[in-house]
Amino acid sequence: DTEVTQTPKHLVMGMTNKKSLKCEQHMGHRAMYWYKQKAKKPPELMFVYSYEKLSINESVPSRFSPECPNSSLLNLHLHALQPEDSALYLCAGAVTLGTSPLHFGNGTRLTVT
Amino acid sequence: GIQVEQSPPDLILQEGANSTLRCNFSDSVNNLQWFHQNPWGQLINLFYIPSGTKQNGRLSATTVATERYSLLYISSSQTTDSGVYFCAVNYGGSQGNLIFGKGTKLSVKP
């Protein structure tokens, strides 16, 4: 069991689909992150939210749209993705931004066909 | 930007052996963390260690911030230790951006 829960575990979508990845935590994390990980590569930062406000956007294409509705939830909305966007998408949380351990969810394995 | 280098890139051990993984970084960091990613993709935080030494069971870590390196020690390795070990650093003014090294892939044979 992890402190950060991601759904779905697996997702297959076409290039014209719209889907959302969800992340939930109830551990009081005020910093929440989206990372993307390709096979045999380290995780790459996409977005960071601090106190429900977008703090960092690592020049991610607009087909990825993050949302933080409240302190427990983080969404990643997907639209018009490309096959090269297929990857493991990881959500993570930390009590504070940059000064506390980062805890990852189990990830969503996304395949774009 | 900061460079994070891990060595060795690959390591094969017999069960019961000890090992040391190294992480070098090119600039001053605010903090450093070690993670283990198991073969199913789950990333587990092992240590939050900006400086000093910490121990957790068979694992221990030491960060010497002034010399810009950190070491992860695994003693009496088990097959469940297999996977990829990442170090990640946070530096400079961008407090949220945790930069990952390329990892050390560890395989422990029975």
Side-chain angles (χ1 to χ4, degrees), chain B residues 4-95:
Chain B
V4 181
E5 296 182 355
Q6 292 187 240
S7 59
D10 295 280
L11 184 60
I12 300 174
L13 297 176
Q14 207 65 33
E15 197 168 27
N18 302 327
S19 63
T20 300
L21 282 57
R22 188 177 180 100
C23 174
N24 292 333
F25 39 96
S26 60
D27 204 346
S28 299
V29 299
N30 299 323
N31 69 69
L32 183 144
Q33 303 184 44
W34 283 98
F35 297 89
H36 173 225
Q37 188 165 38
N38 66 25
W40 297 272
Q42 187 179 11
L43 262 171
I44 301 297
N45 191 305
L46 299 176
F47 294 103
Y48 174 90
I49 186 166
S51 63
T53 297
K54 291 186 177 180
Q55 181 154 7
N56 184 358
R58 297 181 295 103
L59 302 181
S60 65
T62 295
T63 296
V64 184
T66 53
E67 297 186 21
R68 299 180 184 171
Y69 73 89
S70 183
L71 302 174
L72 178 69
Y73 305 94
I74 304 174
S75 65
S76 303
S77 59
Q78 301 176 357
T79 56
T80 52
D81 295 331
S82 296
V84 182
Y85 290 81
F86 291 105
C87 74
V89 302
N90 173 274
Y91 75 105
S94 181
Q95 290 190 352

Side-chain angles (χ1 to χ4, degrees), chain A residues 1-2 33 35 37 40-43 45 48 56 58 88 90 97-106 109, chain B residues 30-31 33 35 37 39-45 48 86 90 94-103 105:
Chain A
D1 289 346
T2 62
Y33 303 69
Y35 278 86
Q37 188 178 24
K40 301 185 185 299
K41 298 290 186 180
L45 184 66
V48 181
I56 296 176
E58 289 292 299
L88 179 66
L90 293 157
L97 186 66
T99 57
S100 57
L102 198 61
H103 297 282
F104 283 87
N106 288 339
R109 289 199 180 274
Chain B
N30 299 323
N31 69 69
Q33 303 184 44
F35 297 89
Q37 188 165 38
W40 297 272
Q42 187 179 11
L43 262 171
I44 301 297
N45 191 305
Y48 174 90
F86 291 105
N90 173 274
S94 181
Q95 290 190 352
N97 196 352
L98 204 61
I99 305 296
F100 280 75
K102 293 183 177 180
K105 183 177 180 181

Side-chain angles (χ1 to χ4, degrees), chain A residues 36 38 63 82-87 89 112:
Chain A
K36 173 183 178 179
K38 301 283 277 185
R63 58 186 184 268
Q82 303 298 310
E84 58 265 29
D85 296 321
S86 299
Y89 288 84
V112 182

